[in-house]
């Protein structure tokens, strides 16, 4: 029990400052487009867990474990490091490096649109970006990558806490597939994603003018609830501007079609009415 409590305290000492740093300045795990990066976040999480495991084993070995001799031998506390844990860490890092390379090349070649996200009121990026595409909709591939990685991390942490003196948990070597396979699917998804236009924000002014922000708007066609709108495009920012039909009332759905590719539907809803002041007395 004392060893498990020590390991938990060490995990809090490692993960706490990292979480606080990311909370204050999340740019460490954001991509070049300003959104939270799924591959970077998971690679960082696995790094923290592996460092924690090694430090906890070192502390146990030099105290309750009996010293340096405890680390030696074929069945020492680090015996599972090469066959199990390095592949667990390798999958996320391969996905991180390869995904950044693929996305960078595709953006440079113009086959993928990566518009900057809208700033948030707090200045921090929502965690939902880890499982969402650039339009803000949940991406099944990203979701399975995050979910399976989180479950695998939970396995590692709980098995280690149940027997700190046993060293690295001797998990089945096939468990690397729980991170390797999702990481591979994540990478293939980055390679196969089409260069669809992306709507990141829409706004309606008091005079009935509609503005649509995003990226990938090449010769765009804007529709409102499947009704085409006459659209003007700002050549500097790519923003689309159109006049709403007289009968168009929020909520409505916007879609941009560019080079035969459609954006994800963007649902524009009416802003909430401001609260009215109650009379005094």
């Amino acid at each position: 029990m004392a060893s498990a409590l020590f390991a938990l305290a060490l995990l809090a000492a490692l993960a706490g400052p990292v979480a606080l740093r990311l909370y204050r300045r999340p740019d460490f795990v954001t991509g070049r487009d300003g959104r939270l990066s799924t591959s970077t976040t998971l690679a960082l999480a696995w790094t923290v867990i592996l460092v924690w495991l090694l430090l906890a084993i070192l502390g146990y070995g030099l105290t309750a474990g009996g010293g340096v001799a405890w680390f030696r031998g074929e069945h020492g506390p680090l015996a599972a490091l090469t066959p199990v844990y390095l592949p667990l860490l390798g999958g996320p890092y391969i996905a991180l490096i390869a995904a950044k390379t693929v996305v960078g090349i595709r953006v440079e070649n113009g086959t993928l649109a990566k518009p900057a996200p809208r700033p948030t009121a707090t200045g921090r990026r929502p965690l939902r970006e880890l499982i969402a595409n650039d339009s803000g909709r949940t991406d099944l591939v990203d979701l399975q990558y995050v979910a399976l990685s989180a479950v695998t991390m939970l396995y590692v942490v709980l098995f280690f806490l149940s027997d700190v003196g046993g060293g690295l948990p001797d998990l089945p070597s096939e468990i690397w597939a729980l991170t390797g396979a999702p990481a591979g699917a994540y990478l293939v998804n980055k390679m196969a994603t089409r260069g669809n236009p992306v709507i990141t924000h829409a706004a309606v002014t008091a005079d009935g003018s509609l503005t649509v922000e995003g990226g990938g708007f090449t010769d765009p066609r804007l529709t409102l609830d499947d009704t085409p709108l006459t659209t003007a495009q700002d050549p500097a920012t790519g923003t689309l501007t159109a006049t709403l039909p007289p009968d168009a009332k929020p909520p409505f759905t916007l879609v941009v079609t560019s080079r035969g590719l459609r954006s994800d539907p963007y649902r524009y809803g009416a802003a909430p009415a401001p609260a009215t002041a109650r009379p005094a007395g």
Side-chain angles (χ1 to χ4, degrees):
M1 178 61 72
S3 299
L5 291 178
F6 165 76
L8 278 175
L10 181 60
L11 178 59
L14 284 174
V18 173
L20 182 61
R21 166 66 170 79
L22 296 180
Y23 178 78
R24 291 178 174 175
R25 296 193 61 186
D27 52 292
F28 185 69
V29 291
T30 56
R32 289 187 294 179
D33 59 357
R35 295 177 178 84
L36 292 180
S37 169
T38 303
S39 57
T40 303
T41 302
L42 292 180
L44 174 63
W46 274 115
T47 300
V48 171
I49 288 179
L50 185 57
V51 169
W52 166 65
L53 290 172
L54 295 176
L55 289 178
I57 291 172
L58 178 63
Y60 181 89
L62 296 180
T63 54
V68 177
W70 182 65
F71 293 90
R72 297 172 179 166
E74 181 181 354
H75 301 289
L78 302 181
L81 181 62
T82 300
V84 178
Y85 290 89
L86 292 186
L88 276 178
L89 188 64
Y93 267 93
I94 291 174
L96 165 63
I97 297 170
K100 287 184 177 297
T101 302
V102 169
V103 171
I105 292 175
R106 294 194 62 188
V107 170
E108 184 177 348
N109 293 341
T111 59
L112 183 66
K114 296 289 289 184
R118 293 285 301 178
T120 61
T122 61
R124 302 184 180 93
R125 305 309 309 168
L127 289 176
R128 191 176 182 279
E129 288 184 344
L130 294 176
I131 59 170
N133 60 20
D134 294 343
S135 298
R137 303 181 71 186
T138 299
D139 188 302
L140 181 58
V141 175
D142 288 6
L143 176 60
Q144 59 87 32
Y145 186 24
V146 172
L148 290 177
S149 295
V151 169
T152 308
M153 292 177 196
L154 185 62
Y155 264 78
V156 172
V157 171
L158 293 182
F159 271 73
F160 179 69
L161 292 177
S162 68
D163 184 16
V164 175
L168 292 175
D170 191 14
L171 300 173
S173 58
E174 294 82 5
I175 199 171
W176 70 268
L178 289 179
T179 58
Y186 174 83
L187 177 58
V188 171
N189 185 53
K190 293 295 183 183
M191 298 172 63
T193 299
R194 297 189 301 171
N196 294 55
V198 177
I199 299 176
T200 58
H201 182 68
V204 177
T205 61
D207 62 357
S209 178
L210 170 68
T211 59
V212 177
E213 300 176 12
F217 298 161
T218 303
D219 298 325
R221 177 176 177 267
L222 175 64
T223 60
L224 184 151
D225 290 336
D226 296 325
T227 301
L229 301 180
T230 302
T231 307
Q233 183 175 20
D234 186 332
T237 64
T239 301
L240 306 181
T241 306
T243 301
L244 286 179
D247 58 344
K249 302 295 181 184
F252 47 73
T253 300
L254 300 170
V255 172
V256 173
T257 303
S258 175
R259 296 174 295 186
L261 301 176
R262 289 166 52 90
S263 68
D264 285 336
Y266 184 95
R267 189 69 171 170
Y268 178 85
T276 57
R278 300 180 62 180

